[in-house]
C-alpha cells in the first residue's frame, strides 16, 4: 500500500551525508503498517483499543472585523474525561489558526505538519501562504489517507491578502469555504446560538460574546464538551486570544443565583 | 477462530506530579497478563535524559521497543548537538514517535516527567497515538481511573487555558508530593487487580535523581 508521505519529508536529509550509523532511521519517515490480510478490521480493533479523544465543540465565523474562533477544552475517551485543559485552537503561525475536533493526536500532528509546510512555503516563495493554500495543503494530505481511520474535523481560519478566510477541512477529504462553521458533538447546540445571534457588522466584543455564549451553551447540553471556553480573534495583524473562561463560572455569570424569599426555614433541632 | 492479536495488556499504573522545582514519577512494579502475575518487580520507569524520565504502562514489549528507540534517538541528538535533550524536546519527540505508528500503535500509555529549561517541574501526558499535553500531574494505566479523581481533588490547579493566565504548578513541597503518591498507590492497589506488589518512586530535582521503593499489597 503506497501512502502519501510528502507530508513527512523534510527538505534536508535528517542526518547529513553519513547515513551508515543511522540505517534504521530514514530521512523520510514512513508509517509502519501491520502485515495483515484484513487491514480495515485491524484498524477497527486498534481504534477500539486506542479510543482516541473525541467529542468537542469548536466554532468559527467571519464578520466585519475578521474571524472569530472559539472552542471548549474537554477530551473524552469513551465515557472517561481524559483532560479538561486540551488546547483545541492550534496556532499554526502568527496569522492562522486551526481548530481541533476528532482524534486529538491526528489533529495535533497534522496541524503541526501544516505549520511546517506553511513556513517552508514562506521561505521558498518569500510571501505568506494564503488561507486557501494552507487549507488545500491539509485537505490533500488528509484525502490521501482517506479510509485509513484518521479522524480530523478542523477549521482553518486566517487573514491573508484577500482579507479574512475560513475553511472547513475533514478527514474524509472534504474542504468547504464558508462564513460560519461549527464542528464537533456539541455543534448543533452551538449552531443554534450562533446562527440566531449572528450579524455581519458586529463589533469585536459583541462577536466574542456571541462565540463565548455559543460554546457555553454547547458545553451545557453536550456531555462530551466542557472545561474552558477559549475565544480567539484573527485580524489583519494576526490572531489574539481574547478570553479563556471556565464554563462553570460562565454559567453563574449568565444565570446568576437570585435570592428568593424563603417560605419555611429549617431550624436546628437539639438532641433527638 | 480467534485471530492472533499482536497486543497484550500487562497492567500497572504510572503517576507523575510536577512541582515548583522537582518532579515525582512513580509506578507500581507488577507485570501481569490476564489474571496471572508474571513478575512482581518489573520497572516501568526509564531514564531517557538527565532531566527526563519516562513511565509507561500497557504492553511492556511495546514499552521496551519505545524506550530503546527514544534512547537511540537521544544518543544521536547528543552527538549532533553536544548536549542532553530537554524535557520539552523529548516530549515532542515522543509524540512524533508514537504518531509514526499511527496505523499500528504502540500500546503504551505514557507519562513523561522532568525539569524544563527553567528548572521547574514538568509532566507530559500522552495517549497511545501521540496526542500530548503539558500538565501539572497525571496518572496513566489500569489504575488511572482510580488515581486521577483523587489527584484532581488534591491538586486541581487552574487550567492553563484561562485568561488572564494563572500559575498551574502545584504548591506542594517535595516530601508532601511523595506522600501523596504513596497514598495514591496504596488506594489504587486496594481496588485494581493489576496494581500492587511494589511502588517505585523516582524524584528529579536540581540535586539529581533519587529513587525509593515502598512495598504494596501483593494480593
Amino acid at each position: 500500500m503506497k501512502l502519501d508521505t510528502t507530508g513527512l519529508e523534510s527538505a534536508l536529509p535528517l542526518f547529513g551525508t553519513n547515513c551508515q550509523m543511522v540505517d534504521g532511521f530514514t530521512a523520510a519517515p514512513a508509517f509502519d503498517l501491520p502485515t495483515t490480510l484484513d487491514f480495515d478490521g485491524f484498524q477497527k480493533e486498534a481504534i477500539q483499543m486506542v479510543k482516541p479523544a473525541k467529542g468537542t465543540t469548536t466554532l468559527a465565523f467571519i464578520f466585519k472585523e475578521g474571524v472569530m474562533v472559539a472552542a471548549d477544552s474537554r477530551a473524552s475517551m469513551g465515557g472517561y474525561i481524559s483532560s479538561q485543559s486540551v488546547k483545541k485552537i492550534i496556532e499554526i503561525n502568527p496569522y492562522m489558526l486551526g481548530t481541533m475536533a476528532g482524534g486529538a493526536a491526528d489533529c495535533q500532528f497534522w496541524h503541526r505538519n501544516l505549520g511546517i509546510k506553511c513556513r517552508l512555503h514562506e521561505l521558498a516563495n518569500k510571501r505568506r501562504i494564503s488561507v486557501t493554500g494552507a487549507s488545500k495543503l491539509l485537505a490533500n494530505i488528509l484525502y490521501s489517507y482517506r479510509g485509513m481511520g484518521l479522524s480530523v474535523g478542523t477549521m482553518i481560519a486566517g487573514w491573508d491578502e484577500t482579507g479574512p478566510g475560513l475553511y472547513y477541512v475533514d478527514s474524509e477529504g472534504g474542504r468547504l469555504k464558508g462564513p460560519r462553521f461549527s464542528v464537533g458533538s456539541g455543534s448543533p447546540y452551538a449552531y443554534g446560538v450562533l446562527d440566531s445571534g449572528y450579524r455581519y457588522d458586529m463589533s469585536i466584543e459583541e462577536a466574542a460574546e456571541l462565540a463565548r455564549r455559543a460554546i457555553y451553551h454547547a458545553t451545557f447540553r453536550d456531555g462530551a464538551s466542557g472545561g474552558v471556553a477559549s475565544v480567539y480573534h484573527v485580524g489583519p495583524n494576526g490572531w489574539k486570544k481574547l478570553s479563556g473562561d471556565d464554563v462553570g463560572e460562565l454559567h453563574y455569570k449568565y444565570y446568576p443565583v437570585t435570592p428568593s424569599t424563603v417560605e419555611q426555614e429549617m431550624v436546628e433541632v437539639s438532641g433527638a | 477462530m480467534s485471530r492472533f492479536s499482536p497486543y497484550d495488556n500487562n497492567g500497572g499504573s504510572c503517576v507523575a506530579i510536577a512541582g515548583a522545582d522537582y518532579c515525582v514519577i512513580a509506578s507500581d512494579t507488577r507485570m501481569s497478563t490476564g489474571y496471572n502475575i508474571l513478575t512482581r518487580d518489573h520497572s516501568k520507569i526509564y531514564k531517557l535524559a538527565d532531566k527526563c524520565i519516562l513511565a509507561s504502562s500497557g504492553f511492556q514489549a511495546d514499552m521496551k521497543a519505545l524506550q530503546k528507540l527514544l534512547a537511540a534517538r537521544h544518543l544521536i541528538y547528543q552527538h549532533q548537538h553536544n548536549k542532553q535533550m530537554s524535557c520539552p524536546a523529548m516530549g515532542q519527540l515522543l509524540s512524533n514517535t508514537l504518531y509514526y505508528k499511527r496505523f499500528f500503535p504502540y500500546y503504551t500509555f505514557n507519562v513523561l516527567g522532568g525539569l524544563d529549561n527553567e528548572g521547574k517541574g514538568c509532566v507530559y501526558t500522552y495517549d497511545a497515538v501521540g496526542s500530548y499535553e503539558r500538565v501539572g500531574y497525571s496518572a496513566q494505566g489500569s489504575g488511572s481511573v482510580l488515581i486521577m479523581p483523587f489527584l484532581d481533588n488534591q491538586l486541581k490547579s487552574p487550567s492553563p487555558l484561562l485568561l488572564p493566565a494563572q500559575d498551574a504548578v502545584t504548591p506542594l513541597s517535595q516530601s508532601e508530593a511523595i506522600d501523596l503518591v504513596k497514598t495514591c498507590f496504596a488506594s489504587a492497589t486496594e481496588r485494581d487487580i493489576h496494581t500492587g506488589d511494589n511502588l517505585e518512586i523516582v524524584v528529579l530535582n536540581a540535586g539529581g535523581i533519587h529513587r525509593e521503593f515502598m512495598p504494596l499489597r501483593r494480593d
Side-chain angles (χ1 to χ4, degrees), chain B residues 124-171:
Chain B
Y124 291 92
T125 186
Y126 296 80
D127 72 1
V129 279
S131 135
Y132 79 119
E133 196 197 333
R134 180 170 175 175
V135 290
Y137 58 91
S138 178
Q140 292 278 5
S142 58
S144 65
V145 292
L146 299 168
I147 298 175
M148 261 321 248
F150 176 64
L151 290 179
D152 283 334
N153 178 269
Q154 297 291 309
L155 297 177
K156 183 85 189 275
S157 50
S159 169
L161 299 174
L162 291 173
L163 197 72
Q166 295 167 36
D167 197 20
V169 169
T170 177

Side-chain angles (χ1 to χ4, degrees), chain A residues 8 15 22 25 29 31-34 36 38 41-43 45-47 49-50 73 80 83 85-87 104-106 108-110 112 145 148-150 228 230 241-246, chain B residues 3 5-7 69 72-73 76 79-80 92 95-96 99-107 109 127-135 139 144-145 148-149 156 159-164:
Chain A
L8 298 169
F15 300 107
V22 296
F25 308 93
F31 282 121
D32 281 341
L33 292 180
T36 166
D38 178 19
F42 184 85
Q43 287 307 313
E45 283 172 35
I47 291 295
M49 173 195 83
V50 168
S73 69
Y80 179 70
S83 174
S85 55
V86 175
K87 268 193 83 164
D106 294 333
Q108 273 186 8
F109 182 89
W110 290 112
R112 185 166 185 265
Y145 288 102
M148 301 197 55
L150 291 188
V228 167
S230 305
K241 180 162 182 177
L242 295 181
S243 70
D245 301 293
D246 186 285
Chain B
R3 212 180 38 172
S5 168
Y7 297 111
L69 187 65
R73 286 299 300 268
I76 293 168
H79 286 140
Q80 292 179 334
Q92 184 70 64
S95 171
N96 287 346
Y99 197 81
Y100 285 142
K101 293 252 295 161
R102 169 66 174 76
F103 301 117
F104 189 2
Y106 287 110
Y107 190 6
F109 297 96
D127 72 1
V129 279
S131 135
Y132 79 119
E133 196 197 333
R134 180 170 175 175
V135 290
S144 65
V145 292
M148 261 321 248
K156 183 85 189 275
S159 169
L161 299 174
L162 291 173
L163 197 72

Side-chain angles (χ1 to χ4, degrees), chain A residues 242-261:
Chain A
L242 295 181
S243 70
D245 301 293
D246 186 285
V247 295
E249 282 166 37
L250 280 182
H251 175 83
Y252 290 108
K253 192 172 123 203
Y254 293 142
Y255 302 101
V257 178
T258 46
S260 55
T261 51

Side-chain angles (χ1 to χ4, degrees), chain B residues 40-105:
Chain B
R40 298 193 192 273
D41 55 25
H42 175 85
S43 172
K44 299 191 211 359
I45 298 180
Y46 187 78
K47 178 183 150 190
L48 289 172
D50 279 346
K51 300 232 169 99
C52 194
I53 301 209
L54 175 68
S56 346
S57 67
F59 182 36
Q60 294 303 307
D62 273 350
M63 184 196 84
K64 199 94 220 160
L66 187 62
Q67 285 170 358
K68 282 182 169 181
L69 187 65
L70 291 173
R73 286 299 300 268
H74 184 228
L75 192 58
I76 293 168
Y77 181 98
Q78 285 179 289
H79 286 140
Q80 292 179 334
H81 296 91
N82 199 22
K83 63 173 183 173
Q84 297 248 334
M85 264 176 109
S86 64
C87 198
M90 186 60 86
Q92 184 70 64
L93 176 65
L94 175 54
S95 171
N96 287 346
T97 307
L98 291 170
Y99 197 81
Y100 285 142
K101 293 252 295 161
R102 169 66 174 76
F103 301 117
F104 189 2

